[in-house]
Amino acid sequence: MKVKSKSGLRTSLLRITVLPLTLLGIIIIAYSSYHLTARVHQEVKTQLKDVARSAVYTYEREYPGDYRKGDDGNLYKGLKQVGDAEEILEGYKRMFDVDVTIFYCDERVATTIRSDSGNPIVGTKANEEVTEDVFHGRAEMFYENTNINNNRYFSYYRPLYDTQGNCTGMLFAGKEVRYVRSSVLVGVMPVLIAMFVCVAIVVFVIWAYANKLIKSMWQLGDFFVKVEGGDLTTELGPEVMKRKDELGRIGKSAVQMQSALRELIERDSLTGLYNRHYGEIWLREARKEAKESGCSYHVAIGDIDFFKKFNDSYGHDCGDMVLREVSRTLKKGVGENGYAARWGGEEFLLVLSGKKIEDVEGFVKRIAEDIKTMESVYEDRVLKVTMTFGVTDGDAQENIDDVIKKADQALYEGKETGRDKVVYKH
């Protein structure tokens, strides 16, 4: 079972959460920008139209009459020189931050737009599209990207008429495109900032949560790897076991699975005691502990007296019941002083700690007495069960097989001399 690295798990978790959130933020910003741009454009259009209407009214009131060329070569409207209207146009620019231009035909004759040298760009022409649409077509028009004096303008043009109803010129009102774009940016910026703050908060929360989650996932993965490798004694960390979510339930199920596997491998299926293989393991552990502590350990092998008669007289179900009850009594009798295992058939192994038991012979005799006095009832029949035990001491210097052999010899002696007894060999 291959377990992904912690950084890989964390990156994956961030990817599947932050990327969709970021994409959503981009969509929101794009949507907001689109609608905000449309709203700003509409507001600018309204403002330009209002300024243009007001400028035309003021211009016609202050400069009544038709256009004419004077003897001095200057352009007049009624009795006033058109160029003097720049003072009126500058007033509108100061009040509304809008550039205004008056055209005679397609030529600028008064304007607030200035060249790099600071002079009004009078005498220059309107572009062909504007001339065609507004002057010749006599239509009011909005343009979102008009190039004037190398600057881009969001502009409004309307035709001007003389007293005979002839189109004699145009009036322009406009704002530079960069102003419109900056207005959109100012409107979008709070949304952009809010999105980045939200993403940052989510990343922080996910990062903190991911560390806990990934630690639990890593421990769970490591637990599975060890169990898969045959280590059935490994423990799953509390970070997983304390969780209340699906991961916690998986962890609890994994521990139950481990316990079931351990029971299947370690335990005898009929009696629930350790099987012979694990009895040998506990013998080796006892010998190792004796070597480290300098204390001896004790081994007892017990055999149920006349066990065959239970099977022959009452059947194998009766024999199984006797084995289970004896096993239960042995396990209870040994308690925390060692281990009990089914050694084979009706034989049992007890591995006892020398640090906890001073009188091992007396200890085993009490267990034998408990078995003798236990109530075994099968089909209304009270059965008498006794056991014979062979007991011996072991130490770190002695071979385990030799210790087992001594216990077997003591057991054989007990059986040959009447059964229902405990024989102790040093």
Side-chain angles (χ1 to χ4, degrees):
M1 178 179 176
K2 188 176 181 180
V3 181
K4 202 171 185 179
S5 69
K6 291 183 180 179
S7 59
L9 288 171
R10 187 181 295 109
T11 301
S12 297
L13 188 59
L14 288 173
R15 186 184 298 118
I16 63 177
T17 51
V18 175
L19 288 183
L21 183 65
T22 303
L23 180 60
L24 178 62
I26 292 172
I27 293 173
I28 291 173
I29 289 175
Y31 180 83
S32 302
S33 298
Y34 173 79
H35 284 275
L36 186 60
T37 300
R39 190 181 72 186
V40 169
H41 282 192
Q42 187 57 46
E43 289 176 354
V44 171
K45 283 181 180 181
T46 301
Q47 183 189 32
L48 294 181
K49 195 170 184 178
D50 289 343
V51 170
R53 186 184 296 115
S54 178
V56 169
Y57 172 79
T58 304
Y59 178 57
E60 292 295 341
R61 186 188 66 189
E62 297 294 328
Y63 290 77
D66 293 333
Y67 287 99
R68 62 182 178 83
K69 286 283 187 176
D71 295 337
D72 56 1
N74 293 317
L75 181 67
Y76 288 81
K77 189 173 188 300
L79 301 176
K80 295 184 177 181
Q81 187 174 326
V82 172
D84 295 338
E86 282 185 5
E87 185 177 347
I88 296 174
L89 306 186
E90 287 291 345
Y92 278 100
K93 182 168 183 177
R94 286 192 297 272
M95 285 188 294
F96 302 106
D97 195 25
V98 173
D99 281 304
V100 185
T101 299
I102 295 174
F103 290 87
Y104 175 67
C105 297
D106 63 346
E107 181 182 344
R108 292 179 179 86
V109 292
T111 183
T112 59
I113 300 176
R114 298 181 178 277
S115 65
D116 293 339
S117 61
N119 298 315
I121 58 170
V122 293
T124 57
K125 301 283 187 177
N127 67 48
E128 294 180 359
E129 180 183 2
V130 171
T131 302
E132 186 65 29
D133 293 340
V134 181
F135 182 68
H136 295 297
R138 299 189 175 194
E140 298 179 14
M141 297 293 293
F142 284 99
Y143 300 95
E144 295 188 0
N145 197 19
T146 307
N147 187 358
I148 303 173
N149 196 37
N150 296 321
N151 289 320
R152 298 289 177 178
Y153 279 83
F154 194 95
S155 56
Y156 169 71
Y157 289 84
R158 61 178 294 166
L160 298 176
Y161 300 95
D162 61 15
T163 56
Q164 304 299 317
N166 298 315
C167 184
T168 56
M170 300 177 290
L171 186 137
F172 156 87
K175 278 183 177 289
E176 290 189 40
V177 169
R178 61 187 178 185
Y179 166 81
V180 179
R181 289 176 178 172
S182 66
S183 298
V184 173
L185 183 60
V186 168
V188 171
M189 189 58 68
V191 179
L192 187 63
I193 293 173
M195 188 204 76
F196 280 118
V197 169
C198 288
V199 170
I201 291 173
V202 169
V203 169
F204 175 78
V205 172
I206 291 174
W207 191 268
Y209 176 75
N211 281 332
K212 292 183 179 179
L213 181 63
I214 290 168
K215 186 175 182 180
S216 297
M217 292 173 65
W218 186 263
Q219 287 185 352
L220 189 59
D222 187 55
F223 178 81
F224 278 122
V225 168
K226 289 181 178 179
V227 171
E228 184 182 29
D231 183 1
L232 299 180
T233 60
T234 186
E235 294 183 358
L236 187 58
E239 288 82 0
V240 179
M241 299 302 292
K242 290 180 179 179
R243 297 182 71 94
K244 304 298 183 182
D245 56 8
E246 290 296 327
L247 201 60
R249 285 192 282 274
I250 291 173
K252 292 179 179 66
S253 296
V255 171
Q256 290 173 357
M257 176 197 70
Q258 178 202 35
S259 179
L261 285 173
R262 190 166 58 238
E263 287 286 327
L264 185 64
I265 295 172
E266 295 180 356
R267 304 286 178 170
D268 175 67
S269 59
L270 176 62
T271 64
L273 297 180
Y274 289 109
N275 56 32
R276 181 171 184 132
H277 172 68
Y278 269 83
E280 292 172 347
I281 289 176
W282 295 127
L283 274 170
R284 289 194 292 271
E285 288 294 320
R287 183 173 182 267
K288 179 181 177 182
E289 184 179 347
K291 187 175 182 179
E292 293 173 351
S293 65
C295 299
S296 62
Y297 62 98
H298 313 288
V299 175
I301 297 179
D303 183 88
I304 300 175
D305 296 329
F306 305 108
F307 177 74
K308 189 172 181 298
K309 72 178 182 181
F310 297 114
N311 287 328
D312 293 344
S313 301
Y314 308 111
H316 288 284
D317 287 345
C318 177
D320 290 347
M321 182 205 72
V322 170
L323 288 172
R324 284 193 293 269
E325 292 194 357
V326 166
S327 298
R328 189 160 45 246
T329 304
L330 288 174
K331 185 176 181 180
K332 182 178 179 182
V334 171
E336 297 181 355
N337 298 290
Y339 305 94
R342 187 179 180 189
W343 200 236
E346 65 272 20
E347 281 193 347
F348 297 86
L349 173 74
L350 306 182
V351 182
L352 306 172
S353 171
K355 293 189 295 184
K356 297 180 180 179
I357 302 175
E358 297 179 359
D359 180 11
V360 65
E361 185 177 4
F363 183 83
V364 176
K365 282 181 177 181
R366 285 192 294 273
I367 294 175
E369 188 63 27
D370 290 340
I371 292 170
K372 190 174 182 178
T373 58
M374 72 182 185
E375 291 187 1
S376 299
V377 180
Y378 182 76
E379 295 182 349
D380 298 328
R381 296 182 180 89
V382 178
L383 307 178
K384 183 72 171 178
V385 181
T386 62
M387 286 188 71
T388 302
F389 289 91
V391 185
T392 190
D393 302 320
D395 59 54
Q397 309 305 320
E398 194 170 12
N399 187 280
I400 290 176
D401 290 337
D402 291 338
V403 175
I404 293 293
K405 187 176 180 180
K406 282 198 302 181
D408 266 332
Q409 290 172 349
L411 174 63
Y412 179 77
E413 182 179 322
K415 283 183 169 294
E416 289 296 312
T417 57
R419 293 184 172 84
D420 185 19
K421 61 175 64 177
V422 174
V423 178
Y424 180 39
K425 279 187 174 294
H426 292 283

mmCIF file of all heavy atoms in Angstrom, residues 193-219:
data_model
loop_
_atom_site.group_PDB
_atom_site.id
_atom_site.type_symbol
_atom_site.label_atom_id
_atom_site.label_comp_id
_atom_site.label_asym_id
_atom_site.label_seq_id
_atom_site.Cartn_x
_atom_site.Cartn_y
_atom_site.Cartn_z
ATOM 1 N N ILE A 193 -10.001 43.126 -3.524
ATOM 2 C CA ILE A 193 -9.397 43.011 -2.192
ATOM 3 C C ILE A 193 -10.163 41.998 -1.349
ATOM 4 O O ILE A 193 -9.577 41.155 -0.661
ATOM 5 C CB ILE A 193 -9.355 44.378 -1.499
ATOM 6 C CG1 ILE A 193 -8.382 45.309 -2.229
ATOM 7 C CG2 ILE A 193 -8.952 44.232 -0.036
ATOM 8 C CD1 ILE A 193 -8.406 46.738 -1.726
ATOM 9 N N ALA A 194 -11.513 42.090 -1.418
ATOM 10 C CA ALA A 194 -12.344 41.155 -0.645
ATOM 11 C C ALA A 194 -12.078 39.715 -1.071
ATOM 12 O O ALA A 194 -12.015 38.802 -0.241
ATOM 13 C CB ALA A 194 -13.817 41.496 -0.818
ATOM 14 N N MET A 195 -11.905 39.514 -2.399
ATOM 15 C CA MET A 195 -11.650 38.155 -2.874
ATOM 16 C C MET A 195 -10.316 37.633 -2.336
ATOM 17 O O MET A 195 -10.216 36.503 -1.861
ATOM 18 C CB MET A 195 -11.641 38.125 -4.403
ATOM 19 C CG MET A 195 -11.565 36.701 -4.963
ATOM 20 S SD MET A 195 -10.881 36.595 -6.623
ATOM 21 C CE MET A 195 -9.129 36.810 -6.306
ATOM 22 N N PHE A 196 -9.273 38.478 -2.412
ATOM 23 C CA PHE A 196 -7.960 38.043 -1.936
ATOM 24 C C PHE A 196 -7.978 37.783 -0.431
ATOM 25 O O PHE A 196 -7.350 36.831 0.048
ATOM 26 C CB PHE A 196 -6.893 39.086 -2.281
ATOM 27 C CG PHE A 196 -6.409 39.010 -3.702
ATOM 28 C CD1 PHE A 196 -6.582 40.070 -4.558
ATOM 29 C CD2 PHE A 196 -5.803 37.866 -4.182
ATOM 30 C CE1 PHE A 196 -6.145 40.000 -5.866
ATOM 31 C CE2 PHE A 196 -5.351 37.783 -5.483
ATOM 32 C CZ PHE A 196 -5.525 38.848 -6.338
ATOM 33 N N VAL A 197 -8.709 38.620 0.314
ATOM 34 C CA VAL A 197 -8.817 38.405 1.763
ATOM 35 C C VAL A 197 -9.527 37.091 2.036
ATOM 36 O O VAL A 197 -9.094 36.296 2.895
ATOM 37 C CB VAL A 197 -9.562 39.582 2.434
ATOM 38 C CG1 VAL A 197 -9.904 39.241 3.871
ATOM 39 C CG2 VAL A 197 -8.706 40.843 2.380
ATOM 40 N N CYS A 198 -10.622 36.842 1.305
ATOM 41 C CA CYS A 198 -11.365 35.590 1.494
ATOM 42 C C CYS A 198 -10.495 34.383 1.156
ATOM 43 O O CYS A 198 -10.486 33.389 1.890
ATOM 44 C CB CYS A 198 -12.626 35.584 0.630
ATOM 45 S SG CYS A 198 -13.917 36.704 1.211
ATOM 46 N N VAL A 199 -9.774 34.471 0.024
ATOM 47 C CA VAL A 199 -8.898 33.360 -0.366
ATOM 48 C C VAL A 199 -7.819 33.141 0.692
ATOM 49 O O VAL A 199 -7.510 32.002 1.061
ATOM 50 C CB VAL A 199 -8.259 33.625 -1.747
ATOM 51 C CG1 VAL A 199 -7.172 32.593 -2.046
ATOM 52 C CG2 VAL A 199 -9.323 33.581 -2.837
ATOM 53 N N ALA A 200 -7.247 34.257 1.207
ATOM 54 C CA ALA A 200 -6.199 34.134 2.224
ATOM 55 C C ALA A 200 -6.741 33.479 3.491
ATOM 56 O O ALA A 200 -6.094 32.606 4.086
ATOM 57 C CB ALA A 200 -5.619 35.512 2.544
ATOM 58 N N ILE A 201 -7.957 33.899 3.892
ATOM 59 C CA ILE A 201 -8.565 33.315 5.092
ATOM 60 C C ILE A 201 -8.838 31.832 4.871
ATOM 61 O O ILE A 201 -8.559 30.993 5.731
ATOM 62 C CB ILE A 201 -9.861 34.059 5.454
ATOM 63 C CG1 ILE A 201 -9.529 35.477 5.930
ATOM 64 C CG2 ILE A 201 -10.634 33.311 6.540
ATOM 65 C CD1 ILE A 201 -10.750 36.349 6.158
ATOM 66 N N VAL A 202 -9.388 31.513 3.692
ATOM 67 C CA VAL A 202 -9.700 30.107 3.388
ATOM 68 C C VAL A 202 -8.426 29.273 3.349
ATOM 69 O O VAL A 202 -8.389 28.156 3.873
ATOM 70 C CB VAL A 202 -10.461 30.013 2.056
ATOM 71 C CG1 VAL A 202 -10.555 28.559 1.594
ATOM 72 C CG2 VAL A 202 -11.865 30.592 2.197
ATOM 73 N N VAL A 203 -7.374 29.820 2.739
ATOM 74 C CA VAL A 203 -6.093 29.087 2.683
ATOM 75 C C VAL A 203 -5.571 28.833 4.091
ATOM 76 O O VAL A 203 -5.106 27.732 4.409
ATOM 77 C CB VAL A 203 -5.059 29.872 1.850
ATOM 78 C CG1 VAL A 203 -3.671 29.269 2.025
ATOM 79 C CG2 VAL A 203 -5.445 29.863 0.383
ATOM 80 N N PHE A 204 -5.659 29.856 4.954
ATOM 81 C CA PHE A 204 -5.178 29.698 6.331
ATOM 82 C C PHE A 204 -5.985 28.626 7.060
ATOM 83 O O PHE A 204 -5.420 27.752 7.730
ATOM 84 C CB PHE A 204 -5.279 31.025 7.075
ATOM 85 C CG PHE A 204 -4.912 30.938 8.527
ATOM 86 C CD1 PHE A 204 -3.593 30.888 8.928
ATOM 87 C CD2 PHE A 204 -5.910 30.876 9.503
ATOM 88 C CE1 PHE A 204 -3.253 30.781 10.269
ATOM 89 C CE2 PHE A 204 -5.583 30.775 10.848
ATOM 90 C CZ PHE A 204 -4.249 30.727 11.229
ATOM 91 N N VAL A 205 -7.328 28.713 6.938
ATOM 92 C CA VAL A 205 -8.191 27.733 7.612
ATOM 93 C C VAL A 205 -7.929 26.332 7.078
ATOM 94 O O VAL A 205 -7.789 25.365 7.835
ATOM 95 C CB VAL A 205 -9.675 28.121 7.444
ATOM 96 C CG1 VAL A 205 -10.582 27.009 7.958
ATOM 97 C CG2 VAL A 205 -9.969 29.422 8.180
ATOM 98 N N ILE A 206 -7.841 26.229 5.746
ATOM 99 C CA ILE A 206 -7.598 24.911 5.132
ATOM 100 C C ILE A 206 -6.233 24.386 5.534
ATOM 101 O O ILE A 206 -6.063 23.191 5.796
ATOM 102 C CB ILE A 206 -7.721 25.010 3.601
ATOM 103 C CG1 ILE A 206 -9.185 25.257 3.212
ATOM 104 C CG2 ILE A 206 -7.219 23.739 2.926
ATOM 105 C CD1 ILE A 206 -9.386 25.502 1.735
ATOM 106 N N TRP A 207 -5.247 25.286 5.576
ATOM 107 C CA TRP A 207 -3.889 24.857 5.950
ATOM 108 C C TRP A 207 -3.880 24.290 7.366
ATOM 109 O O TRP A 207 -3.298 23.231 7.614
ATOM 110 C CB TRP A 207 -2.941 26.037 5.842
ATOM 111 C CG TRP A 207 -1.499 25.651 5.955
ATOM 112 C CD1 TRP A 207 -0.731 25.613 7.070
ATOM 113 C CD2 TRP A 207 -0.657 25.218 4.884
ATOM 114 N NE1 TRP A 207 0.530 25.187 6.780
ATOM 115 C CE2 TRP A 207 0.614 24.948 5.454
ATOM 116 C CE3 TRP A 207 -0.836 25.040 3.525
ATOM 117 C CZ2 TRP A 207 1.678 24.509 4.671
ATOM 118 C CZ3 TRP A 207 0.225 24.615 2.756
ATOM 119 C CH2 TRP A 207 1.465 24.348 3.332
ATOM 120 N N ALA A 208 -4.557 25.012 8.281
ATOM 121 C CA ALA A 208 -4.611 24.532 9.668
ATOM 122 C C ALA A 208 -5.383 23.215 9.745
ATOM 123 O O ALA A 208 -4.964 22.261 10.415
ATOM 124 C CB ALA A 208 -5.264 25.587 10.562
ATOM 125 N N TYR A 209 -6.516 23.163 9.050
ATOM 126 C CA TYR A 209 -7.317 21.938 9.063
ATOM 127 C C TYR A 209 -6.570 20.805 8.362
ATOM 128 O O TYR A 209 -6.608 19.649 8.798
ATOM 129 C CB TYR A 209 -8.656 22.200 8.375
ATOM 130 C CG TYR A 209 -9.531 20.981 8.248
ATOM 131 C CD1 TYR A 209 -10.209 20.470 9.351
ATOM 132 C CD2 TYR A 209 -9.668 20.340 7.032
ATOM 133 C CE1 TYR A 209 -11.007 19.346 9.240
ATOM 134 C CE2 TYR A 209 -10.462 19.217 6.897
ATOM 135 C CZ TYR A 209 -11.138 18.728 8.009
ATOM 136 O OH TYR A 209 -11.924 17.619 7.886
ATOM 137 N N ALA A 210 -5.881 21.167 7.262
ATOM 138 C CA ALA A 210 -5.169 20.149 6.480
ATOM 139 C C ALA A 210 -4.068 19.501 7.300
ATOM 140 O O ALA A 210 -3.838 18.293 7.192
ATOM 141 C CB ALA A 210 -4.585 20.765 5.209
ATOM 142 N N ASN A 211 -3.384 20.305 8.129
ATOM 143 C CA ASN A 211 -2.315 19.732 8.943
ATOM 144 C C ASN A 211 -2.856 18.642 9.867
ATOM 145 O O ASN A 211 -2.251 17.579 10.012
ATOM 146 C CB ASN A 211 -1.636 20.824 9.766
ATOM 147 C CG ASN A 211 -0.659 21.632 8.944
ATOM 148 O OD1 ASN A 211 -0.089 21.141 7.972
ATOM 149 N ND2 ASN A 211 -0.464 22.881 9.296
ATOM 150 N N LYS A 212 -4.019 18.918 10.491
ATOM 151 C CA LYS A 212 -4.623 17.917 11.370
ATOM 152 C C LYS A 212 -5.135 16.730 10.561
ATOM 153 O O LYS A 212 -4.929 15.572 10.930
ATOM 154 C CB LYS A 212 -5.770 18.541 12.158
ATOM 155 C CG LYS A 212 -5.323 19.577 13.172
ATOM 156 C CD LYS A 212 -6.508 20.104 13.966
ATOM 157 C CE LYS A 212 -6.064 21.123 15.006
ATOM 158 N NZ LYS A 212 -7.204 21.663 15.772
ATOM 159 N N LEU A 213 -5.804 17.048 9.457
ATOM 160 C CA LEU A 213 -6.375 15.982 8.635
ATOM 161 C C LEU A 213 -5.286 15.101 8.044
ATOM 162 O O LEU A 213 -5.370 13.873 8.082
ATOM 163 C CB LEU A 213 -7.224 16.597 7.521
ATOM 164 C CG LEU A 213 -7.917 15.606 6.579
ATOM 165 C CD1 LEU A 213 -8.921 14.758 7.341
ATOM 166 C CD2 LEU A 213 -8.597 16.347 5.430
ATOM 167 N N ILE A 214 -4.245 15.746 7.520
ATOM 168 C CA ILE A 214 -3.171 14.984 6.868
ATOM 169 C C ILE A 214 -2.398 14.164 7.896
ATOM 170 O O ILE A 214 -1.975 13.039 7.612
ATOM 171 C CB ILE A 214 -2.244 15.945 6.100
ATOM 172 C CG1 ILE A 214 -2.989 16.496 4.871
ATOM 173 C CG2 ILE A 214 -0.969 15.246 5.664
ATOM 174 C CD1 ILE A 214 -2.301 17.650 4.200
ATOM 175 N N LYS A 215 -2.217 14.723 9.100
ATOM 176 C CA LYS A 215 -1.545 13.951 10.147
ATOM 177 C C LYS A 215 -2.332 12.680 10.454
ATOM 178 O O LYS A 215 -1.763 11.594 10.593
ATOM 179 C CB LYS A 215 -1.385 14.794 11.403
ATOM 180 C CG LYS A 215 -0.561 14.115 12.495
ATOM 181 C CD LYS A 215 -0.332 15.049 13.678
ATOM 182 C CE LYS A 215 0.534 14.375 14.742
ATOM 183 N NZ LYS A 215 0.766 15.274 15.895
ATOM 184 N N SER A 216 -3.670 12.838 10.526
ATOM 185 C CA SER A 216 -4.524 11.675 10.778
ATOM 186 C C SER A 216 -4.458 10.697 9.606
ATOM 187 O O SER A 216 -4.351 9.483 9.798
ATOM 188 C CB SER A 216 -5.967 12.124 11.015
ATOM 189 O OG SER A 216 -6.060 12.934 12.155
ATOM 190 N N MET A 217 -4.520 11.230 8.383
ATOM 191 C CA MET A 217 -4.461 10.373 7.193
ATOM 192 C C MET A 217 -3.124 9.645 7.119
ATOM 193 O O MET A 217 -3.059 8.464 6.765
ATOM 194 C CB MET A 217 -4.692 11.213 5.938
ATOM 195 C CG MET A 217 -6.105 11.777 5.812
ATOM 196 S SD MET A 217 -6.282 12.918 4.427
ATOM 197 C CE MET A 217 -6.010 11.814 3.045
ATOM 198 N N TRP A 218 -2.066 10.370 7.469
ATOM 199 C CA TRP A 218 -0.724 9.770 7.427
ATOM 200 C C TRP A 218 -0.616 8.640 8.456
ATOM 201 O O TRP A 218 -0.081 7.574 8.165
ATOM 202 C CB TRP A 218 0.317 10.839 7.692
ATOM 203 C CG TRP A 218 1.722 10.350 7.526
ATOM 204 C CD1 TRP A 218 2.570 9.926 8.492
ATOM 205 C CD2 TRP A 218 2.435 10.211 6.296
ATOM 206 N NE1 TRP A 218 3.767 9.547 7.965
ATOM 207 C CE2 TRP A 218 3.719 9.707 6.605
ATOM 208 C CE3 TRP A 218 2.124 10.474 4.963
ATOM 209 C CZ2 TRP A 218 4.672 9.455 5.633
ATOM 210 C CZ3 TRP A 218 3.081 10.230 3.999
ATOM 211 C CH2 TRP A 218 4.332 9.730 4.338
ATOM 212 N N GLN A 219 -1.120 8.902 9.666
ATOM 213 C CA GLN A 219 -1.084 7.865 10.704
ATOM 214 C C GLN A 219 -1.920 6.656 10.287
ATOM 215 O O GLN A 219 -1.518 5.517 10.507
ATOM 216 C CB GLN A 219 -1.609 8.432 12.019
ATOM 217 C CG GLN A 219 -0.647 9.388 12.697
ATOM 218 C CD GLN A 219 -1.150 9.838 14.055
ATOM 219 O OE1 GLN A 219 -2.280 9.550 14.441
ATOM 220 N NE2 GLN A 219 -0.320 10.553 14.791
#
